[in-house]
Amino acid sequence: MAKKQNILPSVLAFRRGVVITDGGMFNVMPDGTTPIKVVRHGILGTQNTAKEASGKSTTKVANLQETDTAKLDIGAEQMRVCMTLRFMPLRSLLDSCCDAAFPVRTSDLRSGLSKFIELTDNSKGLLEVAHRYIRNVVNGRWLWRNRSEAATVAILIEADGKQYKFDALSYSLNSFDGYCAKEDELAAIVAKCLSSEKPVNIAFKVEADISFGTAGGNEVYPSQNYVNGKPSGFARSLYCYGNAERASSVDGSRVMGFAALRDQKIGNALRTFDTWYPKENFLKDTGVSAENAGPIAVEPNGANLDFMKVFRIKEHSAFTILGHIGEVDPNTEEGMFMIACLIRGGVYGNDEKDKAKTDTDATGE
């Protein structure tokens, strides 16, 4: 049996177990599709601010801003978002593991991890994690705000030579049960890829056709870019690809590129299925009862930006569980969480003071 340890190797990192492309966004026209443009332009609005000292609010009449906007073409019937997934074998995900000062930490971790992955093969826990990934594809969670404003969302998945169609809005965002036969088939393929000895060349090509219930011209929502030191008067920068055009000599507007959802943003949505985290203090900390607490994204410490809180500490943290990974049953909630953490990837090593390093992933709009 692998020795239980509280301190991980100083260098420990895992590759991502799911390869995700950006989600390109397209106008669906009567005669085909065209990329949706991101346009940078000026806007005149009002700005309301609350002055805490006086308790009074002020309205600035002239609030000049420069911002990015993505809208459907006026002739578009709906929007299409396209992306592709591939799942990698769990055995291939360990990227680096060493500790020159304490070699036993390395050998114990490698031994325990190998045992856990062997137990994971063909396990119910692995199949459940696979089902949860598929559920978050078919329910359109990865479309973020585009889903919440949609009238209809049709999902088409092509995998292993077959096509699967889903009405995304008929699938729950908060429950992971009652899987249909098509979800069962797709989850079995995912589990096959994850438990394989070598990478399996099966890609999941996904298309989402979104109707907003109105004619073309609707605003749509690519990922937003974080801008460090944002200039005064600049509102937002949207994620896009391609080359920016020259600014118009008339109004200064210009096309910045073609709209897309960033792969990290899609990945965060797809792994938002951790319902196993402890919820005892949820009402006290968030105002939401444990019964109404939804899933959070799989993160080593259960970090959640919605509530600016971590929900997995001490023995519930992936950093702690990795210390005795060889003793973890993959069919338990703890085991399924760790399968999902391995697929997520990340840095888990300890620094010279034996404090866990941190890693990050994109979650915001």
Side-chain angles (χ1 to χ4, degrees), residues 131-187:
H131 269 106
R132 293 186 177 214
Y133 263 106
I134 291 300
R135 171 59 60 88
N136 277 341
V137 175
V138 305
N139 66 17
R141 183 192 295 275
W142 54 281
L143 297 167
W144 293 84
R145 187 174 176 181
N146 300 290
R147 182 193 190 276
S148 64
E149 296 191 5
T152 63
V153 181
I155 302 285
L156 173 66
I157 303 175
E158 182 178 337
D160 205 19
K162 294 183 64 176
Q163 291 187 339
Y164 305 82
K165 297 181 180 180
F166 300 89
D167 173 10
L169 300 185
S170 67
Y171 291 84
S172 173
L173 292 175
N174 296 319
S175 63
F176 298 92
D177 53 24
Y179 303 114
C180 68
K182 291 184 291 186
E183 288 178 289
D184 289 341
E185 284 189 40
L186 288 165

Side-chain angles (χ1 to χ4, degrees), residues 220-231:
V220 296
Y221 304 98
S223 298
Q224 289 189 26
N225 296 317
Y226 170 73
V227 180
N228 190 20
K230 187 167 63 174

